[in-house]
Protein backbone atom coordinates (compact mmCIF):
# COMPACT_ATOMS: atom_id res chain seq x y z
CA UNK A 1 0.00 0.00 0.00
CA UNK A 2 2.92 2.39 0.60
CA UNK A 3 3.56 2.52 -3.16
CA UNK A 4 -0.02 3.50 -3.98
CA UNK A 5 -0.63 7.25 -4.16
CA UNK A 6 -4.27 8.07 -3.42
CA UNK A 7 -3.70 11.74 -2.67
CA UNK A 8 -4.84 13.32 -5.94
CA UNK A 9 -2.37 11.30 -8.05
CA UNK A 10 -3.79 12.55 -11.35
CA UNK A 11 -2.96 16.14 -10.41
CA UNK A 12 0.54 15.16 -9.31
CA UNK A 13 1.12 13.32 -12.58
CA UNK A 14 0.02 16.39 -14.49
CA UNK A 15 2.31 18.66 -12.45
CA UNK A 16 5.19 16.38 -13.38
CA UNK A 17 4.58 17.03 -17.09
CA UNK A 18 5.33 20.72 -16.59
CA UNK A 19 8.10 20.33 -14.03
CA UNK A 20 6.12 21.60 -11.03
CA UNK A 21 6.07 18.41 -8.94
CA UNK A 22 8.64 19.71 -6.45
CA UNK A 23 8.77 18.53 -2.85
CA UNK A 24 9.54 21.36 -0.44
CA UNK A 25 10.89 20.56 2.99
CA UNK A 26 11.21 24.00 4.60
CA UNK A 27 9.96 27.55 4.16
CA UNK A 28 11.16 30.91 5.44
CA UNK A 29 10.42 34.44 4.32
CA UNK A 30 10.16 34.47 0.53
CA UNK A 31 11.93 31.14 0.05
CA UNK A 32 10.92 27.51 -0.11
CA UNK A 33 13.57 24.82 0.15
CA UNK A 34 13.84 21.52 -1.68
CA UNK A 35 16.54 18.87 -1.44
CA UNK A 36 18.98 17.91 -4.16
CA UNK A 37 20.13 14.34 -4.79
CA UNK A 38 22.68 14.63 -1.99
CA UNK A 39 20.17 15.94 0.57
CA UNK A 40 21.32 19.56 0.47
CA UNK A 41 18.77 22.37 0.65
CA UNK A 42 18.11 24.25 -2.57
CA UNK A 43 16.42 27.65 -2.06
CA UNK A 44 13.57 28.64 -4.38
CA UNK A 45 12.26 32.21 -4.48
CA UNK A 46 8.51 32.09 -3.94
CA UNK A 47 6.65 34.61 -6.10
CA UNK A 48 3.46 32.54 -5.91
CA UNK A 49 3.11 33.46 -2.24
CA UNK A 50 0.43 30.92 -1.42
CA UNK A 51 -1.86 32.51 -4.01
CA UNK A 52 -1.77 35.71 -1.97
CA UNK A 53 -1.72 34.08 1.47
CA UNK A 54 1.79 35.16 2.42
CA UNK A 55 1.68 38.92 2.74
CA UNK A 56 4.19 38.58 5.60
CA UNK A 57 6.11 35.65 4.14
CA UNK A 58 6.54 32.04 5.18
CA UNK A 59 6.79 31.35 8.91
CA UNK A 60 7.08 34.92 10.11
CA UNK A 61 8.88 34.73 13.50
CA UNK A 62 6.30 36.84 15.37
CA UNK A 63 3.46 34.69 14.07
CA UNK A 64 5.33 31.49 14.94
CA UNK A 65 5.94 32.81 18.45
CA UNK A 66 2.24 33.61 18.80
CA UNK A 67 1.32 30.08 17.70
CA UNK A 68 3.85 28.45 20.02
CA UNK A 69 2.60 30.44 22.98
CA UNK A 70 -0.96 29.25 22.40
CA UNK A 71 0.12 25.65 21.93
CA UNK A 72 2.41 25.73 24.97
CA UNK A 73 -0.43 27.10 27.10
CA UNK A 74 -2.85 24.51 25.72
CA UNK A 75 -5.29 27.12 24.45
CA UNK A 76 -8.78 25.62 23.94
CA UNK A 77 -9.09 25.49 20.17
CA UNK A 78 -12.47 23.76 20.25
CA UNK A 79 -14.82 25.56 22.60
CA UNK A 80 -17.87 26.17 20.46
CA UNK A 81 -21.01 27.70 21.95
CA UNK A 82 -19.13 29.75 24.54
CA UNK A 83 -17.71 33.25 24.94
CA UNK A 84 -15.04 34.20 22.38
CA UNK A 85 -13.30 37.38 23.59
CA UNK A 86 -10.47 36.95 21.04
CA UNK A 87 -13.03 36.83 18.20
CA UNK A 88 -14.69 39.94 19.65
CA UNK A 89 -11.33 41.74 19.60
CA UNK A 90 -10.65 40.67 16.02
CA UNK A 91 -14.06 41.89 14.87
CA UNK A 92 -13.42 45.24 16.56
CA UNK A 93 -9.97 45.61 15.00
CA UNK A 94 -11.29 44.75 11.54
CA UNK A 95 -14.07 47.30 12.00
CA UNK A 96 -11.63 50.01 12.97
CA UNK A 97 -9.48 49.42 9.89
CA UNK A 98 -12.34 49.04 7.42
CA UNK A 99 -14.18 52.08 8.76
CA UNK A 100 -10.99 54.13 8.56
CA UNK A 101 -10.33 53.16 4.96
CA UNK A 102 -13.90 53.53 3.78
CA UNK A 103 -14.43 56.73 5.79
CA UNK A 104 -17.64 55.27 7.16
CA UNK A 105 -19.25 55.52 10.57
CA UNK A 106 -21.27 52.35 10.06
CA UNK A 107 -20.28 49.21 11.90
CA UNK A 108 -19.87 45.77 10.31
CA UNK A 109 -21.04 42.57 11.94
CA UNK A 110 -18.56 39.71 11.52
CA UNK A 111 -19.18 36.05 10.75
CA UNK A 112 -16.17 33.72 10.88
CA UNK A 113 -15.25 31.03 8.36
CA UNK A 114 -12.34 28.82 7.30
CA UNK A 115 -11.61 29.74 3.69
CA UNK A 116 -12.19 32.45 1.13
CA UNK A 117 -14.75 30.41 -0.78
CA UNK A 118 -16.65 29.81 2.45
CA UNK A 119 -16.57 33.51 3.33
CA UNK A 120 -18.02 34.37 -0.10
CA UNK A 121 -20.74 31.78 0.35
CA UNK A 122 -21.53 33.12 3.83
CA UNK A 123 -21.95 36.62 2.37
CA UNK A 124 -24.28 35.41 -0.38
CA UNK A 125 -26.16 33.18 2.05
CA UNK A 126 -26.73 36.13 4.38
CA UNK A 127 -27.76 38.35 1.48
CA UNK A 128 -30.32 35.74 0.45
CA UNK A 129 -31.71 35.52 3.98
CA UNK A 130 -32.05 39.29 4.00
CA UNK A 131 -33.78 39.18 0.61
CA UNK A 132 -36.20 36.42 1.65
CA UNK A 133 -37.11 38.32 4.82
CA UNK A 134 -37.72 41.48 2.79
CA UNK A 135 -40.00 39.54 0.45
CA UNK A 136 -41.96 38.29 3.47
CA UNK A 137 -42.16 41.80 4.92
CA UNK A 138 -43.38 43.21 1.61
CA UNK A 139 -46.06 40.53 1.29
CA UNK A 140 -47.23 41.22 4.83
CA UNK A 141 -47.46 44.92 4.02
CA UNK A 142 -49.44 44.20 0.85
CA UNK A 143 -51.80 41.89 2.77
CA UNK A 144 -52.40 44.65 5.32
CA UNK A 145 -53.10 47.15 2.52
CA UNK A 146 -55.60 44.78 0.91
CA UNK A 147 -57.35 44.29 4.25
CA UNK A 148 -57.53 48.06 4.74
CA UNK A 149 -58.96 48.52 1.24
CA UNK A 150 -61.48 45.74 1.84
CA UNK A 151 -62.67 47.52 5.01
CA UNK A 152 -62.96 50.83 3.12
CA UNK A 153 -65.04 49.17 0.38
CA UNK A 154 -67.30 47.48 2.94
CA UNK A 155 -67.87 50.88 4.58
CA UNK A 156 -68.83 52.36 1.22
CA UNK A 157 -66.02 54.90 1.39
CA UNK A 158 -64.22 53.93 -1.82
CA UNK A 159 -64.62 52.07 -5.11
CA UNK A 160 -62.19 50.26 -7.36
CA UNK A 161 -60.61 52.33 -10.12
CA UNK A 162 -61.37 50.43 -13.31
CA UNK A 163 -58.68 52.30 -15.22
CA UNK A 164 -56.01 51.38 -12.71
CA UNK A 165 -57.10 47.75 -12.65
CA UNK A 166 -57.04 47.51 -16.44
CA UNK A 167 -53.63 49.19 -16.56
CA UNK A 168 -52.34 46.50 -14.23
CA UNK A 169 -53.79 43.80 -16.47
CA UNK A 170 -56.66 43.05 -14.06
CA UNK A 171 -59.89 43.71 -15.93
CA UNK A 172 -62.27 43.81 -12.99
CA UNK A 173 -63.87 46.39 -10.73
CA UNK A 174 -65.25 43.79 -8.32
CA UNK A 175 -63.14 44.11 -5.19
CA UNK A 176 -63.32 40.44 -4.17
CA UNK A 177 -62.26 39.32 -7.65
CA UNK A 178 -59.56 41.98 -7.79
CA UNK A 179 -58.11 41.01 -4.40
CA UNK A 180 -58.16 37.31 -5.32
CA UNK A 181 -56.43 38.00 -8.63
CA UNK A 182 -53.76 40.14 -6.97
CA UNK A 183 -53.05 37.39 -4.44
CA UNK A 184 -52.79 34.85 -7.26
CA UNK A 185 -50.37 37.02 -9.25
CA UNK A 186 -48.25 37.80 -6.21
CA UNK A 187 -48.10 34.15 -5.15
CA UNK A 188 -46.61 33.22 -8.53
CA UNK A 189 -44.20 36.15 -8.75
CA UNK A 190 -42.97 36.01 -5.16
CA UNK A 191 -41.39 32.62 -5.80
CA UNK A 192 -39.23 33.97 -8.64
CA UNK A 193 -35.68 32.64 -8.03
CA UNK A 194 -33.16 35.20 -6.80
CA UNK A 195 -30.78 36.81 -9.25
CA UNK A 196 -27.05 36.95 -8.62
CA UNK A 197 -24.65 39.07 -10.62
CA UNK A 198 -20.89 38.75 -11.02
CA UNK A 199 -18.24 40.16 -13.30
CA UNK A 200 -16.88 38.20 -16.23
CA UNK A 201 -13.41 36.91 -15.40
CA UNK A 202 -14.18 36.68 -11.69
CA UNK A 203 -13.15 33.81 -9.46
CA UNK A 204 -14.88 33.27 -6.13
CA UNK A 205 -14.11 29.65 -5.27
CA UNK A 206 -14.92 26.12 -6.31
CA UNK A 207 -17.43 25.04 -3.66
CA UNK A 208 -20.94 24.15 -4.74
CA UNK A 209 -22.21 27.69 -4.29
CA UNK A 210 -19.13 29.79 -4.96
CA UNK A 211 -18.34 27.96 -8.19
CA UNK A 212 -21.59 29.30 -9.64
CA UNK A 213 -20.10 32.80 -9.22
CA UNK A 214 -16.82 31.82 -10.88
CA UNK A 215 -16.87 32.82 -14.53
CA UNK A 216 -14.58 30.07 -15.85
CA UNK A 217 -17.01 27.67 -17.55
CA UNK A 218 -14.68 24.69 -17.09
CA UNK A 219 -15.09 24.98 -13.32
CA UNK A 220 -18.74 25.98 -13.34
CA UNK A 221 -20.61 24.10 -16.07
CA UNK A 222 -20.32 20.56 -14.66
CA UNK A 223 -22.18 21.75 -11.56
CA UNK A 224 -24.56 24.28 -13.11
CA UNK A 225 -27.64 22.26 -12.17
CA UNK A 226 -26.73 22.38 -8.49
CA UNK A 227 -26.87 26.12 -7.97
CA UNK A 228 -28.69 29.36 -8.64
CA UNK A 229 -27.95 30.80 -12.05
CA UNK A 230 -25.70 33.85 -12.16
CA UNK A 231 -25.78 36.64 -14.72
CA UNK A 232 -22.23 37.58 -15.65
CA UNK A 233 -21.62 41.19 -16.61
CA UNK A 234 -18.81 42.08 -19.00
CA UNK A 235 -16.63 45.04 -17.98
CA UNK A 236 -17.74 46.89 -21.12
CA UNK A 237 -21.38 46.47 -20.05
CA UNK A 238 -21.04 47.94 -16.56
CA UNK A 239 -22.45 51.27 -17.73
CA UNK A 240 -25.57 49.38 -18.89
CA UNK A 241 -26.30 47.96 -15.42
CA UNK A 242 -29.39 50.17 -14.83
CA UNK A 243 -30.89 48.82 -18.05
CA UNK A 244 -29.95 45.23 -17.10
CA UNK A 245 -31.62 45.61 -13.71
CA UNK A 246 -34.74 47.08 -15.34
CA UNK A 247 -34.94 44.14 -17.74
CA UNK A 248 -34.86 41.69 -14.84
CA UNK A 249 -37.29 43.59 -12.62
CA UNK A 250 -40.36 41.76 -11.25
CA UNK A 251 -43.23 43.62 -9.56
CA UNK A 252 -45.77 42.54 -6.98
CA UNK A 253 -49.19 44.17 -7.07
CA UNK A 254 -50.59 46.21 -4.21
CA UNK A 255 -53.69 48.26 -3.48
CA UNK A 256 -53.72 51.87 -2.37
CA UNK A 257 -56.61 54.09 -1.30
CA UNK A 258 -56.40 57.39 -3.14
CA UNK A 259 -59.21 59.75 -2.25
CA UNK A 260 -62.42 57.88 -3.06
CA UNK A 261 -60.76 55.27 -5.27
CA UNK A 262 -58.76 52.10 -4.82
CA UNK A 263 -55.88 51.93 -7.27
CA UNK A 264 -53.53 49.11 -8.19
CA UNK A 265 -49.85 49.93 -7.70
CA UNK A 266 -46.68 48.04 -8.53
CA UNK A 267 -44.14 47.24 -5.83
CA UNK A 268 -40.71 45.96 -6.91
CA UNK A 269 -40.03 42.44 -5.66
CA UNK A 270 -36.75 42.14 -3.72
CA UNK A 271 -35.24 39.97 -6.45
CA UNK A 272 -31.58 40.91 -6.63
CA UNK A 273 -29.64 38.84 -4.11
CA UNK A 274 -26.15 40.26 -4.63
CA UNK A 275 -23.54 41.61 -7.04
CA UNK A 276 -20.26 39.79 -6.31
CA UNK A 277 -16.93 41.10 -7.55
CA UNK A 278 -13.18 41.27 -6.93
CA UNK A 279 -11.59 44.73 -6.95
CA UNK A 280 -8.58 43.04 -8.55
CA UNK A 281 -9.37 39.80 -10.33
CA UNK A 282 -6.80 37.21 -9.34
CA UNK A 283 -7.52 34.03 -11.28
CA UNK A 284 -9.03 36.09 -14.09
CA UNK A 285 -5.65 37.45 -15.10
CA UNK A 286 -4.80 40.19 -12.55
CA UNK A 287 -7.28 42.75 -13.81
CA UNK A 288 -8.10 45.73 -11.61
CA UNK A 289 -11.47 47.46 -11.40
CA UNK A 290 -11.20 51.16 -12.23
CA UNK A 291 -12.79 53.95 -10.21
CA UNK A 292 -15.39 54.79 -12.88
CA UNK A 293 -16.62 51.19 -13.09
CA UNK A 294 -16.73 50.98 -9.29
CA UNK A 295 -18.85 54.14 -9.15
CA UNK A 296 -21.26 52.81 -11.79
CA UNK A 297 -21.68 49.46 -10.02
CA UNK A 298 -22.22 51.20 -6.68
CA UNK A 299 -24.86 53.57 -8.05
CA UNK A 300 -26.74 50.96 -10.08
CA UNK A 301 -26.89 48.50 -7.19
CA UNK A 302 -27.99 51.16 -4.71
CA UNK A 303 -30.88 52.16 -6.97
CA UNK A 304 -32.39 48.65 -6.87
CA UNK A 305 -31.19 47.70 -3.37
CA UNK A 306 -28.84 45.00 -4.68
CA UNK A 307 -26.09 44.46 -2.07
CA UNK A 308 -22.49 44.54 -3.24
CA UNK A 309 -20.28 41.68 -2.05
CA UNK A 310 -16.61 42.66 -2.33
CA UNK A 311 -14.38 39.60 -2.54
CA UNK A 312 -11.07 40.76 -1.01
CA UNK A 313 -9.85 37.21 -0.37
CA UNK A 314 -6.78 37.60 -2.57
CA UNK A 315 -6.53 41.37 -2.97
CA UNK A 316 -7.14 42.39 0.64
CA UNK A 317 -5.01 42.52 3.79
CA UNK A 318 -2.79 45.27 2.37
CA UNK A 319 -1.56 43.39 -0.67
CA UNK A 320 -2.29 46.23 -3.09
CA UNK A 321 -1.01 49.02 -0.84
CA UNK A 322 -4.24 49.61 1.08
CA UNK A 323 -5.92 47.22 3.49
CA UNK A 324 -8.80 46.86 1.04
CA UNK A 325 -8.05 47.05 -2.67
CA UNK A 326 -11.61 48.31 -3.15
CA UNK A 327 -11.04 51.40 -1.03
CA UNK A 328 -8.51 52.71 -3.55
CA UNK A 329 -11.22 52.98 -6.22
CA UNK A 330 -13.96 54.24 -3.91
CA UNK A 331 -15.97 51.02 -3.85
CA UNK A 332 -17.94 50.44 -0.63
CA UNK A 333 -19.18 46.95 0.06
CA UNK A 334 -22.32 45.88 1.84
CA UNK A 335 -20.34 42.70 2.49
CA UNK A 336 -16.61 41.96 2.50
CA UNK A 337 -14.91 38.58 2.31
CA UNK A 338 -11.38 38.32 3.73
CA UNK A 339 -9.12 35.29 4.04
CA UNK A 340 -5.71 34.09 2.79
CA UNK A 341 -3.21 36.48 4.46
CA UNK A 342 -5.58 36.95 7.40
CA UNK A 343 -4.14 33.69 8.70
CA UNK A 344 -0.55 34.88 8.42
CA UNK A 345 0.42 31.92 6.27
CA UNK A 346 -0.20 29.60 9.21
CA UNK A 347 -3.88 29.51 10.21
CA UNK A 348 -6.77 28.65 7.93
CA UNK A 349 -9.28 31.38 8.62
CA UNK A 350 -11.66 33.81 6.97
CA UNK A 351 -14.27 36.40 7.83
CA UNK A 352 -17.37 37.89 6.29
CA UNK A 353 -18.19 41.46 7.25
CA UNK A 354 -21.81 42.60 6.82
CA UNK A 355 -22.92 46.22 6.96
CA UNK A 356 -24.93 46.65 10.17
CA UNK A 357 -27.85 48.29 8.37
CA UNK A 358 -28.29 45.06 6.40
CA UNK A 359 -27.36 42.57 9.08
CA UNK A 360 -29.94 40.02 10.19
CA UNK A 361 -29.21 38.63 13.68
CA UNK A 362 -31.32 35.59 12.79
CA UNK A 363 -28.47 34.49 10.54
CA UNK A 364 -26.45 33.42 13.56
CA UNK A 365 -29.06 30.76 14.32
CA UNK A 366 -29.17 29.26 10.82
CA UNK A 367 -25.44 29.29 10.00
CA UNK A 368 -22.42 27.86 11.76
CA UNK A 369 -18.95 26.48 11.01
CA UNK A 370 -17.19 23.99 13.28
CA UNK A 371 -13.64 25.23 12.87
CA UNK A 372 -14.44 28.94 12.65
CA UNK A 373 -13.92 31.58 15.36
CA UNK A 374 -11.47 29.41 17.31
CA UNK A 375 -8.85 30.92 19.58
CA UNK A 376 -5.91 29.74 17.46
CA UNK A 377 -6.93 31.28 14.14
CA UNK A 378 -8.42 34.47 15.58
CA UNK A 379 -5.38 35.16 17.77
CA UNK A 380 -3.07 34.62 14.80
CA UNK A 381 -5.26 37.00 12.77
CA UNK A 382 -4.97 39.61 15.54
CA UNK A 383 -1.19 39.29 15.37
CA UNK A 384 -1.33 39.75 11.58
CA UNK A 385 -3.35 42.96 11.96
CA UNK A 386 -0.92 44.17 14.60
CA UNK A 387 2.01 43.64 12.23
CA UNK A 388 0.23 45.31 9.31
CA UNK A 389 -0.82 48.33 11.36
CA UNK A 390 2.51 48.77 13.16
CA UNK A 391 4.39 52.06 12.75
CA UNK A 392 1.48 53.80 11.11
CA UNK A 393 0.87 51.07 8.55
CA UNK A 394 4.36 50.92 7.08
CA UNK A 395 3.51 47.45 5.73
CA UNK A 396 1.00 48.98 3.32
CA UNK A 397 3.57 51.48 2.10
CA UNK A 398 6.07 48.65 1.71
CA UNK A 399 3.59 46.67 -0.42
CA UNK A 400 3.07 49.68 -2.68
CA UNK A 401 6.81 50.37 -2.98
CA UNK A 402 7.83 46.76 -3.61
CA UNK A 403 4.98 46.38 -6.06
CA UNK A 404 6.04 49.46 -8.00
CA UNK A 405 9.62 48.16 -8.10
CA UNK A 406 8.56 44.78 -9.52
CA UNK A 407 6.13 46.44 -11.93
CA UNK A 408 8.93 48.60 -13.33
CA UNK A 409 11.02 45.47 -13.85
CA UNK A 410 8.18 43.66 -15.61
CA UNK A 411 7.59 46.66 -17.86
CA UNK A 412 11.26 46.72 -18.81
CA UNK A 413 10.97 43.07 -19.86
CA UNK A 414 7.88 43.95 -21.91
CA UNK A 415 9.69 46.84 -23.58
CA UNK A 416 12.56 44.58 -24.59
CA UNK A 417 10.30 41.71 -25.71
CA UNK A 418 7.09 43.31 -27.05
CA UNK A 419 6.70 40.42 -29.48
CA UNK A 420 6.59 37.95 -26.56
CA UNK A 421 4.98 39.90 -23.70
CA UNK A 422 1.49 41.23 -24.44
CA UNK A 423 0.79 43.12 -21.22
CA UNK A 424 1.92 43.85 -17.68
CA UNK A 425 -0.63 44.93 -15.09
CA UNK A 426 -1.74 44.89 -11.49
CA UNK A 427 -1.51 46.88 -8.30
CA UNK A 428 0.89 46.64 -5.35
CA UNK A 429 2.05 43.07 -4.80
CA UNK A 430 -0.63 41.57 -7.03
CA UNK A 431 0.93 41.68 -10.48
CA UNK A 432 0.64 39.82 -13.76
CA UNK A 433 2.63 39.40 -16.97
CA UNK A 434 0.68 38.20 -19.99
CA UNK A 435 2.37 36.40 -22.89
CA UNK A 436 1.21 36.65 -26.47
CA UNK A 437 -0.55 33.55 -27.77
CA UNK A 438 2.07 30.97 -28.73
CA UNK A 439 -0.20 28.54 -30.59
CA UNK A 440 1.59 29.36 -33.88
CA UNK A 441 5.05 28.71 -32.44
CA UNK A 442 7.47 26.64 -34.52
CA UNK A 443 8.46 24.80 -31.33
CA UNK A 444 6.25 21.68 -31.01
CA UNK A 445 6.28 21.64 -27.19
CA UNK A 446 5.42 25.34 -26.96
CA UNK A 447 2.67 24.97 -29.54
CA UNK A 448 1.24 21.94 -27.74
CA UNK A 449 1.12 23.74 -24.39
CA UNK A 450 -0.39 26.85 -25.96
CA UNK A 451 -3.13 24.88 -27.69
CA UNK A 452 -3.81 22.86 -24.54
CA UNK A 453 -4.08 25.87 -22.23
CA UNK A 454 -1.00 24.87 -20.21
CA UNK A 455 1.55 27.32 -21.63
CA UNK A 456 1.80 29.38 -18.45
CA UNK A 457 2.38 26.24 -16.37
CA UNK A 458 5.18 25.17 -18.69
CA UNK A 459 6.80 28.60 -18.32
CA UNK A 460 6.44 28.30 -14.53
CA UNK A 461 8.09 24.88 -14.63
CA UNK A 462 10.96 26.32 -16.65
CA UNK A 463 11.46 29.18 -14.20
CA UNK A 464 11.50 26.69 -11.34
CA UNK A 465 13.91 24.21 -12.88
CA UNK A 466 16.37 26.64 -14.45
CA UNK A 467 16.13 29.71 -12.24
CA UNK A 468 14.80 28.50 -8.89
CA UNK A 469 11.83 30.85 -9.10
CA UNK A 470 8.36 29.69 -8.16
CA UNK A 471 5.29 31.25 -9.71
CA UNK A 472 2.10 30.10 -11.43
CA UNK A 473 -0.24 31.36 -14.11
CA UNK A 474 -3.69 32.60 -13.21
CA UNK A 475 -6.21 29.77 -13.41
CA UNK A 476 -8.64 31.32 -15.90
CA UNK A 477 -6.01 33.14 -17.96
CA UNK A 478 -3.17 30.61 -18.29
CA UNK A 479 -1.04 32.90 -20.48
CA UNK A 480 -0.69 35.30 -17.53
CA UNK A 481 1.90 34.66 -14.82
CA UNK A 482 1.10 35.99 -11.35
CA UNK A 483 3.51 37.52 -8.86
CA UNK A 484 2.34 37.82 -5.23
CA UNK A 485 5.39 37.77 -2.96
CA UNK A 486 5.56 39.12 0.57
CA UNK A 487 6.34 42.71 1.51
CA UNK A 488 9.85 41.55 2.42
CA UNK A 489 10.84 40.54 -1.12
CA UNK A 490 14.32 41.88 -1.87
CA UNK A 491 16.00 43.39 -4.91
CA UNK A 492 18.16 40.30 -5.41
CA UNK A 493 15.09 38.07 -5.60
CA UNK A 494 13.44 40.44 -8.07
CA UNK A 495 16.61 40.32 -10.19
CA UNK A 496 16.47 36.52 -10.07
CA UNK A 497 12.92 36.62 -11.44
CA UNK A 498 13.92 39.11 -14.12
CA UNK A 499 16.77 36.90 -15.29
CA UNK A 500 14.43 33.96 -15.59
CA UNK A 501 11.77 35.90 -17.49
CA UNK A 502 14.34 37.33 -19.90
CA UNK A 503 15.76 33.87 -20.52
CA UNK A 504 12.32 32.46 -21.34
CA UNK A 505 11.42 35.44 -23.55
CA UNK A 506 14.70 35.21 -25.46
CA UNK A 507 14.15 31.50 -26.12
CA UNK A 508 10.58 32.06 -27.32
CA UNK A 509 11.67 34.91 -29.59
CA UNK A 510 14.47 32.84 -31.09
CA UNK A 511 12.14 29.86 -31.54
CA UNK A 512 14.66 27.84 -29.61
CA UNK A 513 13.51 24.26 -29.09
CA UNK A 514 14.93 24.43 -25.57
CA UNK A 515 12.96 27.57 -24.68
CA UNK A 516 10.83 25.60 -22.23
CA UNK A 517 11.62 22.66 -20.04
CA UNK A 518 8.99 20.13 -21.09
CA UNK A 519 8.33 16.70 -19.66
CA UNK A 520 5.21 15.87 -21.64
CA UNK A 521 5.46 12.49 -23.39
CA UNK A 522 5.34 12.74 -27.18
CA UNK A 523 3.16 10.51 -29.34
CA UNK A 524 5.70 7.71 -29.03
CA UNK A 525 5.67 7.99 -25.25
CA UNK A 526 9.13 9.60 -25.00
CA UNK A 527 9.70 12.59 -22.74
CA UNK A 528 9.93 15.88 -24.63
CA UNK A 529 12.81 18.16 -23.74
Amino acid sequence: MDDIDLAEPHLLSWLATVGLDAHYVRAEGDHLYRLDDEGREIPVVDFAGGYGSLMLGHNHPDILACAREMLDHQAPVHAQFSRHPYAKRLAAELNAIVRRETESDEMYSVIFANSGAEAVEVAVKHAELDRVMKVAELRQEIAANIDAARAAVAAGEVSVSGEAAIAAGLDTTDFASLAARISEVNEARATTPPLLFALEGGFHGKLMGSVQLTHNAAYRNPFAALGTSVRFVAPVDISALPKIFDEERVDLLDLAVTGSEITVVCRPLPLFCAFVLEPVQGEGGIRALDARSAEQIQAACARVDCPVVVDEVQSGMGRTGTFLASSAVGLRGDYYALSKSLGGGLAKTAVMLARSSRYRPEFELVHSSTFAKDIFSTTIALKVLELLEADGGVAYARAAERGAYILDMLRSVQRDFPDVVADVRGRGLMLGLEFHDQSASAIPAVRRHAEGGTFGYAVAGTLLERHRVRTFPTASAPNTLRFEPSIHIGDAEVAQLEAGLRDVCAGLRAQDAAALVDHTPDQEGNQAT
Side-chain angles (χ1 to χ4, degrees):
M1 288 293 289
D2 289 345
D3 294 332
I4 300 176
D5 189 350
L6 300 177
E8 300 182 345
H10 176 72
L11 177 60
L12 180 61
S13 175
W14 181 81
L15 288 174
T17 67
V18 289
L20 291 172
D21 58 330
H23 173 211
Y24 299 104
V25 297
R26 191 169 68 84
E28 181 181 9
D30 280 290
H31 288 84
L32 287 160
Y33 296 85
R34 58 193 300 187
L35 300 179
D36 65 12
D37 293 338
E38 297 179 5
R40 294 172 299 192
E41 285 190 343
I42 303 297
V44 173
V45 182
D46 186 10
F47 276 90
Y51 299 107
S53 298
L54 298 167
M55 178 70 173
L56 300 172
H58 290 276
N59 291 317
H60 189 285
D62 290 353
I63 296 174
L64 287 182
C66 178
R68 288 194 187 100
E69 182 179 1
M70 283 188 288
L71 294 175
D72 288 344
H73 286 81
Q74 298 182 323
V77 174
H78 293 287
Q80 299 93 331
F81 260 54
S82 62
R83 286 187 177 274
H84 296 278
Y86 30 84
K88 177 182 176 181
R89 281 183 52 214
L90 178 58
E93 291 295 327
L94 286 168
N95 261 274
I97 297 170
V98 170
R99 292 169 68 202
R100 180 192 70 212
E101 280 214 350
T102 59
E103 298 179 342
S104 170
D105 292 331
E106 188 166 1
M107 305 291 285
Y108 283 83
S109 295
V110 180
I111 299 292
F112 294 81
N114 301 285
S115 69
E118 185 185 351
V120 170
E121 291 203 6
V122 172
V124 173
K125 186 177 175 183
H126 183 281
E128 176 60 5
L129 176 66
D130 182 42
R131 188 194 73 84
V132 166
M133 294 181 75
K134 285 179 177 175
V135 171
E137 291 160 3
L138 175 58
R139 296 192 69 183
Q140 289 173 2
E141 185 179 335
I142 290 174
N145 290 341
I146 291 175
D147 286 344
R150 181 179 291 109
V153 169
E157 299 170 353
V158 295
S159 60
V160 176
S161 167
E163 263 183 41
I166 292 171
L170 306 173
D171 189 8
T172 178
T173 57
D174 175 68
F175 181 84
S177 299
L178 179 64
R181 182 62 180 139
I182 286 176
S183 295
E184 181 182 345
V185 170
N186 286 350
E187 188 70 31
R189 294 181 181 178
T191 57
T192 304
L195 284 176
L196 287 160
F197 296 85
L199 287 181
E200 288 187 358
F203 180 96
H204 303 286
K206 296 179 182 177
L207 299 180
M208 190 173 77
S210 58
V211 76
Q212 309 300 331
L213 298 160
T214 292
H215 184 238
N216 188 325
Y219 298 144
R220 177 170 41 86
N221 285 352
F223 314 103
L226 295 177
T228 301
S229 61
V230 175
R231 179 160 179 173
F232 291 97
V233 179
V236 295
D237 292 332
I238 287 175
S239 61
L241 270 177
K243 180 182 177 183
I244 293 172
F245 284 137
D246 286 341
E247 291 171 349
E248 300 286 3
R249 172 176 169 155
V250 173
D251 287 327
L252 297 189
L253 301 180
D254 196 1
L255 293 180
V257 176
T258 306
S260 61
E261 289 189 330
I262 293 175
T263 59
V264 180
V265 296
C266 294
R267 304 282 298 276
L269 175 71
L271 179 64
F272 306 120
C273 176
F275 194 120
V276 187
L277 59 87
E278 300 162 280
V280 181
Q281 291 184 340
E283 307 304 327
I286 314 297
R287 298 185 182 277
L289 190 72
D290 61 83
R292 177 59 179 156
S293 295
E295 180 184 15
Q296 290 173 331
I297 291 171
Q298 193 99 64
C301 288
R303 186 174 69 90
V304 296
D305 194 32
C306 177
V308 177
V309 176
V310 183
D311 180 348
E312 292 269 12
V313 169
Q314 193 167 162
S315 60
M317 302 299 300
R319 178 155 293 281
T320 65
T322 49
F323 185 79
L324 299 171
S326 52
S327 68
V329 293
L331 182 65
R332 302 292 180 259
D334 296 289
Y335 300 90
Y336 291 99
L338 291 167
S339 187
K340 290 190 181 291
S341 283
L342 182 64
L346 195 62
K348 298 176 179 65
T349 189
V351 293
M352 182 279 284
L353 291 86
R355 188 189 296 273
S356 292
S357 57
R358 283 193 177 272
Y359 188 65
R360 298 281 188 171
E362 298 89 343
F363 187 74
E364 298 167 26
L365 302 178
V366 297
H367 177 83
S368 61
S369 183
T370 298
F371 296 98
K373 205 168 65 171
D374 66 284
I375 188 172
F376 185 81
S377 65
T378 52
T379 304
I380 293 266
L382 279 165
K383 175 57 69 174
V384 169
L385 295 186
E386 177 188 322
L387 293 170
L388 292 178
E389 292 283 302
D391 301 320
V394 68
Y396 308 131
R398 174 78 178 175
E401 183 275 322
R402 289 286 79 192
Y405 184 83
I406 298 171
L407 187 62
D408 285 345
M409 178 275 287
L410 296 176
R411 284 174 174 161
S412 74
V413 173
Q414 182 187 20
R415 283 194 299 271
D416 292 344
F417 295 95
D419 51 328
V420 179
V421 178
D423 194 18
V424 169
R425 53 185 176 263
R427 191 185 302 157
L429 288 172
M430 193 172 177
L431 301 169
L433 179 147
E434 181 182 1
F435 289 93
H436 284 294
D437 178 30
Q438 298 292 319
S439 57
S441 174
I443 309 170
V446 172
R447 189 169 61 250
R448 184 170 63 250
H449 281 295
E451 292 172 346
T454 57
F455 173 75
Y457 294 96
V459 172
T462 300
L463 291 173
L464 177 62
E465 188 163 324
R466 291 182 180 163
H467 299 278
R468 298 179 183 177
V469 169
R470 185 175 192 254
T471 187
F472 295 112
T474 57
S476 299
N479 280 356
T480 300
L481 292 184
R482 75 175 82 208
F483 309 104
E484 300 182 71
S486 85
I487 59 173
H488 303 297
I489 193 74
D491 291 359
E493 288 74 24
V494 176
Q496 191 172 336
L497 170 63
E498 180 178 8
L501 290 173
R502 289 183 176 277
D503 178 49
V504 168
C505 289
L508 292 171
R509 170 184 281 175
Q511 298 287 291
D512 184 350
L516 299 183
V517 173
D518 186 63
H519 303 279
T520 308
D522 59 23
Q523 292 181 345
E524 284 73 39
N526 301 311
Q527 295 291 323
T529 58

